Amino acid sequence: VPHTLVTHEELEEAMKANPPSWEPGQFSDGTPNTPADRITRPFTLRRLSNGIRVGINQNPAESQRGHLRLVAPGGRDAERRLGFKSGSLAVGARAMQEGGSFGSFSREQVELFAVDHLIMVEINCNEESLVMDFVFPTTNVGNSGYGENMKLGITGTESVLQIVREILIDFNWEEDALGRSKSSYRTAHESLGKSLEGKSTEMIMDAVTSGDNRFLSIDIDTVNAVTLEDAKNAVMSQLRPKDIEISVSGDFVVSEVMEQILQYLGTVPADTNAEYEVKDATMEFDSVPKLAPGKHLDLELEDSDPRAVAYVAGAAPNQWGFLADGTSVAQRVSEADKRASDYDKQRRAHPLFGNAALSLISEIANRRLFSTVRERKQLTYDANFSLTGFERMKGGWFLVTVTASKEKAQKALDACKETLEALRKSNPISVDNLESAKRVVLNRHEGELRTSQYWATIMSGIQEESIPLKGPLSVTDFHAVIEAMTTTDLQLALDCMGLDESELYTCIGKTVQPEGLVVDDIVKASPMAGMGRGGALMG
């Protein structure tokens, strides 16, 4: 088992060949540049001289643990934009996780190194970025010997930075890793077709996106067509130092980790992976496909278990309030409110306004669906409202998911549509709704700030030009913006969503019993005391 992937000699040579330095952090939300020589709170945001953006935060709440997230903007959107074979980035990202051979080290050696240093690695490709997550201990691990003869190993933090460095400059692509990647994608696609929820969701997304494969499961023919060269070219083209951002949070001393980042990542040459870069390619992210008029879909799937799911979907802004046509929630709300005060205008001009409005609307819609569809009408045991939450692509969708019995599926679907319509017109958002939603959103934020993973997530994208409204203010002003929101803000923001009956996409998926299935007549036990609601003496 190697005790280190990068020796002191190699590091010293790299420091001489590419002397690293810190540069100020730069932001697109109007925040002034941060200093290159000072540690700031709640996080330190800078850039390395090779272009890598770095965000670092000390989080003692998770003792001796850390989380590092590397984000490279692109994802499945880049497959189309940059002319790569469909599915190559997604399959390549999984192949990278399945592989793990660096330079002269075999996959088994690197795997043992990660196990020995208690490191967990996850590499994913979503619609708009390539994301690598590393969970690690911040203490010395991989120690050797015992008692007086014990030699301390490097810290988990240092070993993760070594792995990131090797991925960027010395990763070995292997055919067998690609095979395992393809196998997992084929299995996932096949199991999707056998799942009522999976197949129904895929069906409604296929309708909503007009069959745009960036947002759909990768089918078996597409997976099989990806070669090792396709996967390698697609993934490595994303790993240019000038494009990537690294966010680290954990129970460590910030100055020490900054020094390690400078040594291990600052010495990565600025032209690393330049040979894979697609020349003259547009770096602008596409918008989501424009929605055609709404429609209803029905799906039947053979299954011995009788059940149903219902969906309502429609157009919505992305996580930062941008709609598919390029306008923003803040812009539309300002135009619609002719009597806005100076305070209203100032609040709506804040970069976090759209994000905050959508967080609160999502919470309120979930509560309304739960109280109407489940508690009052008793048509379902689960109703959920969610937003796609893209950060770089403009636009997105909302999706209401309801699980119900086959007999009640249509009624549950109608009740969901009524609830959304009432939220806009007959029963608008009240002050009580708003105040309770604010409490939930702020408490959730406070609770999650105790985890290093959440810190790494909220720091990702702060220095990225492709998310123009995400900057330091999105974290430092979070409480103030949420608290300042009004019912008028949310009511006008709701009008930015495609909630009209003619714009809604609906779907009901039901199971049908396979032919020839023999249903056992199970004899039910007679009711006993305590089985029903209420006490034993209830009639």
Side-chain angles (χ1 to χ4, degrees):
V1 180
H3 289 291
T4 179
L5 298 176
V6 184
T7 63
H8 280 298
E9 294 74 31
E10 287 172 332
L11 203 56
E12 279 172 13
E13 274 179 39
M15 293 284 280
K16 283 177 193 162
N18 298 294
S21 62
W22 286 112
E23 293 179 0
Q26 299 168 32
F27 315 101
S28 49
D29 72 336
T31 303
N33 289 1
T34 49
D37 55 357
R38 214 167 62 239
I39 289 171
T40 52
R41 285 178 176 273
F43 35 49
T44 301
L45 303 163
R46 297 184 195 166
R47 297 193 184 201
L48 287 162
S49 46
N50 57 12
I52 296 176
R53 303 152 170 82
V54 177
I56 187 163
N57 151 271
Q58 184 181 24
N59 177 33
E62 284 189 328
S63 179
Q64 300 184 357
R65 301 297 294 162
H67 193 107
L68 182 146
R69 171 169 279 205
L70 182 153
V71 176
R76 301 222 46 213
D77 183 66
E79 290 175 354
R80 175 182 298 184
R81 239 184 323 117
L82 306 181
F84 292 119
K85 194 178 280 184
S86 179
S88 56
L89 245 167
V91 173
R94 181 69 56 86
M96 192 172 246
Q97 166 136 15
E98 291 288 344
S101 161
F102 306 142
S104 59
F105 297 108
S106 69
R107 181 179 66 82
E108 289 77 12
Q109 282 180 302
V110 174
E111 208 167 283
L112 286 170
F113 175 81
V115 169
D116 209 36
H117 291 80
L118 309 175
I119 297 166
M120 284 168 59
V121 185
E122 195 171 339
I123 302 174
N124 288 307
C125 170
N126 60 30
E127 293 90 348
E128 48 179 17
S129 60
L130 184 66
V131 182
M132 302 185 193
D133 282 303
F134 302 83
V135 180
F136 55 92
T138 54
T139 48
N140 292 81
V141 279
N143 305 334
S144 58
Y146 297 95
E148 292 175 5
N149 299 323
M150 187 165 88
K151 281 186 180 175
L152 284 178
I154 57 176
T155 64
T157 319
E158 195 171 345
S159 38
V160 157
L161 293 172
Q162 291 186 353
I163 290 177
V164 172
R165 177 186 171 83
E166 292 298 302
I167 285 176
L168 294 178
I169 63 172
D170 216 359
F171 187 82
N172 297 329
W173 287 85
E174 300 167 317
E175 200 67 59
D176 62 329
L178 181 74
R180 290 191 295 276
S181 165
K182 287 182 170 185
S183 175
S184 71
Y185 269 105
R186 284 192 290 262
T187 306
H189 186 73
E190 282 166 0
S191 61
L192 186 80
K194 295 170 186 169
S195 151
L196 180 66
E197 291 79 4
K199 198 166 183 183
S200 304
T201 309
E202 184 80 349
M203 191 170 162
I204 198 163
M205 287 310 293
D206 186 43
V208 164
T209 63
S210 306
D212 190 325
N213 59 18
R214 290 175 295 170
F215 307 96
L216 302 174
S217 165
I218 307 172
D219 64 55
I220 290 169
D221 290 342
T222 305
V223 169
N224 290 342
V226 176
T227 64
L228 189 66
E229 201 61 26
D230 294 331
K232 177 182 179 180
N233 289 339
V235 173
M236 298 317 279
S237 74
Q238 306 294 289
L239 298 179
R240 297 292 322 278
K242 66 184 175 65
D243 297 329
I244 62 180
E245 183 175 32
I246 286 170
S247 307
V248 202
S249 175
D251 181 21
F252 45 53
V253 178
V254 171
S255 55
E256 287 177 11
V257 178
M258 294 297 267
E259 188 54 38
Q260 290 172 351
I261 289 174
L262 188 68
Q263 290 175 348
Y264 285 108
L265 304 183
T267 54
V268 171
D271 62 355
T272 297
N273 300 325
E275 66 271 28
Y276 299 103
E277 190 171 11
V278 178
K279 300 287 181 279
D280 306 322
T282 172
M283 297 316 289
E284 283 274 314
F285 277 81
D286 289 337
S287 294
V288 301
K290 198 171 186 314
L291 271 185
K295 58 177 161 181
H296 177 74
L297 308 163
D298 281 300
L299 169 77
E300 288 189 342
L301 187 76
E302 280 197 358
D303 194 325
S304 56
D305 182 19
R307 60 204 173 91
V309 286
Y311 294 93
V312 182
N318 76 1
Q319 195 177 327
W320 295 92
F322 285 105
L323 288 98
D325 62 3
T327 59
S328 72
V329 168
Q331 200 179 323
R332 288 199 181 189
V333 168
S334 299
E335 285 168 6
D337 190 2
K338 299 288 184 269
R339 296 182 299 174
S341 65
D342 288 346
Y343 175 61
D344 290 333
K345 290 173 185 168
Q346 184 188 348
R347 179 179 68 253
R348 290 164 187 168
H350 194 286
L352 192 63
F353 175 80
N355 181 298
L358 293 167
S359 299
L360 293 167
I361 284 172
S362 191
E363 189 56 44
I364 291 165
N366 261 316
R367 290 203 165 196
R368 284 283 184 91
L369 286 165
F370 187 86
S371 61
T372 307
V373 187
R374 177 178 165 165
E375 294 193 330
R376 191 150 56 79
K377 298 195 173 184
Q378 296 188 347
L379 293 170
T380 176
Y381 40 88
D382 185 34
N384 176 270
F385 177 95
S386 61
L387 294 161
T388 42
F390 299 130
E391 292 201 281
R392 298 165 186 84
M393 282 192 273
K394 290 184 170 70
W397 305 281
F398 68 83
L399 186 67
V400 177
T401 313
V402 186
T403 41
S405 64
K406 288 167 72 170
E407 299 74 31
K408 293 180 177 177
Q410 186 61 53
K411 284 183 180 173
L413 180 69
D414 293 339
C416 286
K417 286 158 70 176
E418 283 166 27
T419 306
L420 293 175
E421 184 61 20
L423 201 55
R424 284 175 66 213
K425 294 182 178 169
S426 60
N427 188 5
I429 296 166
S430 68
V431 174
D432 284 350
N433 292 157
L434 178 61
E435 289 309 312
S436 61
K438 282 179 182 178
R439 276 197 305 277
V440 171
V441 169
L442 289 174
N443 288 343
R444 187 189 302 134
H445 178 70
E446 279 301 311
E448 289 188 321
L449 282 178
R450 297 182 61 78
T451 69
S452 297
Q453 181 180 1
Y454 187 63
W455 273 107
T457 305
I458 59 178
M459 285 191 290
S460 292
I462 280 182
Q463 298 189 67
E464 244 183 68
E465 291 77 10
S466 56
I467 316 177
L469 297 181
K470 189 171 189 177
L473 297 177
S474 64
V475 179
T476 54
D477 288 0
F478 188 86
H479 271 76
V481 175
I482 292 284
E483 288 288 10
M485 299 299 278
T486 66
T487 52
T488 307
D489 290 336
L490 299 197
Q491 211 61 53
L492 292 172
L494 258 181
D495 291 336
C496 299
M497 294 191 179
L499 294 172
D500 273 345
E501 176 83 32
S502 62
E503 298 173 35
L504 293 177
Y505 281 73
T506 55
C507 172
I508 292 179
K510 292 180 180 177
T511 57
V512 289
Q513 294 197 341
E515 281 181 36
L517 180 78
V518 179
V519 181
D520 292 333
D521 290 329
I522 299 167
V523 181
K524 291 188 177 177
S526 57
M528 289 161 50
M531 275 180 72
R533 282 175 171 268
L537 300 178
M538 289 291 283

